[in-house]
Amino acid sequence: MTPAPLASRLRVPSGPLFFPVTAFGPDDSVDLDAFRAHVRGGVEAGAAAVFACCGTGEFHALTPEEFQECVAAAVEEAAGRVPVVAGAGYGTALAVRYARLAEEAGADGLLAMPPYLVVAGQEGLIRHYTELAAATSLDVIVYQRDNAVLTPETVVALARAEGVIGFKDGLGDMDLMQRTVSAVRGEVPGDFLYFNGLPTAELTGLAYRGIGVRLYSSAVFCFAPDIALAFHRAFNAGTADGDATVNHLLDGFYRPFVELRALGRGYAVSLVKAGVRLGGLDVGPVRPPLHEPAAEHVKRLAELVERGRKLLGSAHPGAGA
C-alpha cells in the first residue's frame, strides 16, 4: 500500500510533532542505539511525526554521514507508522546534498532550515528553496527564522512551487504571519500547511490558533511526552474545558519552563537534552558550540517536570526514557 502524501499525514496530527535529540556517546560519536530508543519511545508514546536531525536534533553539528545514519535509523524505527521529516540546510549546494541523503535514507519529507550565515534578498531565497524542492521527490516545509524572513509575496511564490507543502514560522511576528496566511489563502488553491515553530511552541499556541495555525513542534515531547500529549489533546479539542486545561498547563508548567529556558543561550536544545537524560535515557551532551546547562538549572527542570505531572493528576515516566 502506498502511504498517503506527507501533507495529508500532517494536516490533522493524532499527536505532537516529535523533534528528537541526537544521541552522542562518551567519545562524542553518534550513539545510534540510544537515538533509536529515543525515536522508538516517542513513536510508541503517540508522536504523529518524527522530525529527525532538525534544530533540536543538532543538525548543525552533524556530518553528512552521521546525518544519513540518523535519518535511516529514524525511518527504521518509525516503520511507516508515522512520517519522518529530515532537516536540510546551509547553502543551496549543501542543502541539496543533505536532501538527497535524506531521500536515500527513506525520509518522507524535508524541513528546509535557513541558509547559512548570509542575509539574502527575497529573490535569492525563492531560488534557494525552489532549487532544493526540485532536487528530490521529497516534499518540503520551509522554516522561517533568524536570517530567513520571508515576505507574504515570497511565501505565495513558494506555495505555488512544486514540492513545497508548508511553512514553519520561528519568527513570532504575528502581524507578518497573519498577512502571510491571508495572502496565500487568496492566491494559492488548496490547503497549504502552517506550523508554529517557536521554541516551546505550546506557549504561543493559542495566539497562532487564532489565525488558523494549529500545527506546532513540541520539544517538551522529547522529555515529558505525557505533559505534551495532555496539552495537545486539550489544545485541539477547542472547547472551553480544553482551553481551561491548556491555560492550567501554560501557567503551571510551560511558562515557567520558558523562563528557565531563557536563562542560557542554546538551552532550547541543551536543556531539552538534559530533560531526556533526567528521564533515564543517556543521550549524551550537546556538541560545541552549544554547552551544557548549569546543574542548578537541570535541578529546576526536574522539579518543574514533577510539578507538570502533578498538574495532570498522575505521575509516570516519559516514553523513550
Side-chain angles (χ1 to χ4, degrees), residues 28-306:
D28 197 41
S29 64
V30 171
D31 185 340
L32 280 178
D33 288 340
F35 178 72
R36 285 178 177 275
H38 183 44
V39 172
R40 183 168 59 250
V43 173
E44 292 172 352
V50 175
F51 283 68
C53 304
C54 296
T56 309
E58 296 181 77
F59 169 78
H60 68 277
L62 300 174
T63 67
E65 295 77 17
E66 291 171 332
F67 167 86
Q68 188 173 38
E69 287 179 342
C70 287
V71 174
V75 169
E76 289 178 10
E77 295 302 330
R81 293 173 289 176
V82 298
V84 174
V85 178
Y90 303 117
T92 306
L94 270 178
V96 165
R97 182 181 178 192
Y98 278 95
R100 289 173 175 161
L101 290 173
E103 185 175 40
E104 290 171 9
D108 299 288
L110 300 169
L111 179 63
M113 314 289 277
Y116 172 71
L117 189 61
V118 297
V119 179
Q122 299 298 300
E123 300 91 339
L125 290 170
I126 291 172
R127 181 179 174 188
H128 172 77
Y129 292 118
T130 53
E131 288 187 11
L132 175 60
T136 74
S137 65
L138 301 181
D139 288 330
V140 174
I141 299 164
V142 174
Y143 191 4
Q144 167 172 272
R145 58 175 293 170
D146 301 324
N147 59 321
V149 177
L150 311 183
T151 66
E153 294 76 16
T154 292
V155 181
V156 167
L158 292 175
R160 288 173 172 155
E162 185 73 25
V164 179
I165 65 166
F167 181 72
K168 181 180 180 184
D169 179 49
L171 183 65
D173 183 333
M174 299 304 292
D175 174 90
L176 176 61
M177 193 63 185
Q178 176 66 83
R179 289 188 289 113
T180 296
V181 171
S182 177
V184 174
R185 185 169 57 227
E187 297 287 340
V188 184
D191 294 325
F192 194 60
L193 299 182
Y194 297 96
F195 303 78
N196 173 359
L198 289 175
T200 316
E202 288 93 340
L203 191 72
T204 52
L206 292 175
Y208 276 85
R209 195 179 72 184
I211 59 171
V213 179
R214 303 181 71 94
L215 301 173
Y216 63 90
S217 53
S218 178
V220 168
F221 186 83
C222 288
F223 62 89
D226 47 352
I227 298 173
L229 280 164
F231 183 95
H232 185 270
R233 285 192 295 267
F235 177 79
N236 281 286
T239 63
D241 286 347
D243 284 359
T245 297
V246 164
N247 284 318
H248 189 50
L249 290 171
L250 287 175
D251 295 346
F253 174 78
Y254 283 100
R255 178 180 55 79
F257 174 68
V258 167
E259 290 169 351
L260 177 60
R261 191 199 70 211
L263 295 179
R265 288 190 177 273
Y267 273 21
V269 178
S270 63
L271 197 64
V272 169
K273 209 164 192 180
V276 178
R277 295 196 301 267
L278 285 171
L281 181 63
D282 186 1
V283 289
V286 291
R287 281 179 170 173
L290 296 179
H291 67 280
E292 289 301 299
E296 172 60 25
H297 296 162
V298 175
K299 179 182 176 183
R300 286 174 58 181
L301 176 62
E303 295 168 348
L304 187 54
V305 172
E306 182 179 357

